[in-house]
């Protein structure tokens, strides 16, 4: 076997005069973005060197750029070496290559496309919520973008939470076929108030829990000297 491998090492990569029988046991594995060929490499070190590899003593194998991995493995298989392949499909940048390929073909990388879809869904949900909130301004009913629901006339009721009739209000809304208690801060000039982003919508059971906590909240306020 050693004599056969020495003869094989004199042949250049790609030669058609390789022995037809199995040579040595090798393992291909990933190291960062590189290919490492390890195992019984000593009998074939010249061949491995001619493939463009360099000996990495600390890793116990021959190192190649990851981009040349497929070519190196193909040459070793042509030489009838037995290879345990722990390299193919495991490079850390293969996902980046897929993204770049998609961009080159005029498409979008999967991760970027997913983020855009998530942004679109979030924007649609925000539009739908604003449509439901806008019913409190007294304007015409507005269709909710994400659900197709329409704010009903009864949603226009609200009560001010500020002693001076300020811009904090509580109202009851219909949103995605649910009845919600909306506590929100409005903005704009008097007569042209618009719902702001600062606020919270409570489900009926959450509203009940808040009411049940009123006594405890009052007690805490009294402790703090209100």
């Amino acid at each position: 076997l050693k004599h056969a491998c020495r003869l094989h090492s004199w042949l250049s990569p790609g030669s058609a005069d390789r022995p037809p029988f199995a040579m040595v046991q090798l393992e291909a594995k990933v190291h960062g973005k590189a290919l490492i060929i390890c195992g019984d490499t000593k009998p074939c070190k010249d061949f491995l060197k001619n493939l463009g590899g360099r000996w990495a003593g600390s890793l116990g194998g021959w190192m190649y750029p990851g981009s040349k991995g497929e070519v190196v493995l193909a040459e070793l298989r042509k030489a009838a070496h037995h290879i345990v392949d722990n390299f193919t499909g495991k490079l850390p940048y293969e996902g980046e290559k897929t993204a770049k390929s998609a961009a080159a073909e005029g498409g979008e990388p999967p991760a970027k496309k997913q983020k855009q879809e998530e942004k679109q869904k979030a924007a649609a949900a925000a539009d739908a919520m604003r449509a439901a909130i806008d019913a409190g301004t007294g304007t015409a009913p507005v269709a909710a973008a994400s659900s197709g629901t329409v704010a009903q006339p009864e949603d226009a009721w609200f009560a001010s939470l500020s002693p001076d009739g300020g811009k904090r209000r509580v109202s009851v809304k219909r949103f995605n076929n649910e009845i919600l208690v909306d506590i929100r801060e409005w903005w704009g000039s008097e007569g042209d108030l618009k719902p702001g982003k600062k606020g919270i919508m409570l489900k009926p059971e959450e509203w009940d829990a808040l009411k049940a906590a009123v006594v405890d909240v009052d007690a805490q306020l009294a402790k703090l000297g209100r």
Side-chain angles (χ1 to χ4, degrees):
L1 178 61
K2 290 183 179 179
H3 291 299
C5 201
R6 287 195 187 96
L7 173 63
H8 176 69
S9 69
W10 297 335
L11 301 175
S12 60
S15 172
D17 297 324
R18 295 194 173 96
F21 47 85
M23 303 298 287
V24 295
Q25 178 80 24
L26 301 172
E27 180 184 2
K29 58 185 182 180
V30 173
H31 179 71
K33 295 184 179 181
L35 163 66
I36 299 294
I37 299 295
C38 55
D40 187 17
T41 63
K42 188 174 181 180
C44 300
K45 63 179 182 179
D46 292 336
F47 181 68
L48 293 169
K49 184 176 181 180
N50 289 338
L51 286 174
R54 64 179 180 84
W55 175 250
S58 61
L59 300 174
W62 290 83
M63 180 180 290
Y64 301 85
S67 58
K68 294 181 62 177
E70 293 182 5
V71 175
V72 172
L73 292 178
E75 290 295 329
L76 291 172
R77 290 189 178 103
K78 285 179 184 178
H81 293 304
H82 180 69
I83 303 171
V84 178
D85 188 356
N86 291 316
F87 172 82
T88 303
K90 296 182 180 179
L91 279 177
Y93 60 82
E94 286 187 340
E96 297 175 11
K97 289 173 65 178
T98 302
K100 290 179 181 178
S101 299
E105 293 171 2
E108 292 181 347
K112 184 177 180 181
K113 185 176 181 181
Q114 183 179 356
K115 286 183 179 180
Q116 287 183 343
E117 289 176 353
E118 290 175 355
K119 285 183 179 180
Q120 290 174 354
K121 289 180 181 179
D127 289 342
M129 183 172 289
R130 185 168 292 279
I133 295 171
D134 282 344
T137 63
T139 58
V142 182
S146 63
S147 64
T149 59
V150 177
Q152 301 299 320
E154 64 264 29
D155 292 340
W157 174 88
F158 70 88
S160 176
L161 296 179
S162 303
D164 57 353
K167 299 178 180 179
R168 290 182 179 176
R169 298 178 175 183
V170 58
S171 58
V172 180
K173 309 289 183 184
R174 288 185 185 275
F175 180 66
N176 283 346
N177 297 322
E178 283 190 279
I179 298 175
L180 300 170
V181 177
D182 181 36
I183 302 173
R184 190 161 305 277
E185 186 168 335
W186 292 55
W187 63 276
S189 59
E190 194 65 33
D192 188 27
L193 292 177
K194 296 179 176 61
K197 295 181 179 179
K198 294 182 180 180
I200 185 171
M201 282 188 169
L202 302 177
K203 295 180 179 180
E205 56 269 26
E206 293 172 328
W207 173 247
D208 290 338
L210 178 60
K211 290 189 296 181
V214 167
V215 174
D216 294 332
V217 172
D218 285 339
Q220 292 300 316
L221 287 172
K223 285 182 180 180
L224 296 175
R226 179 180 181 274

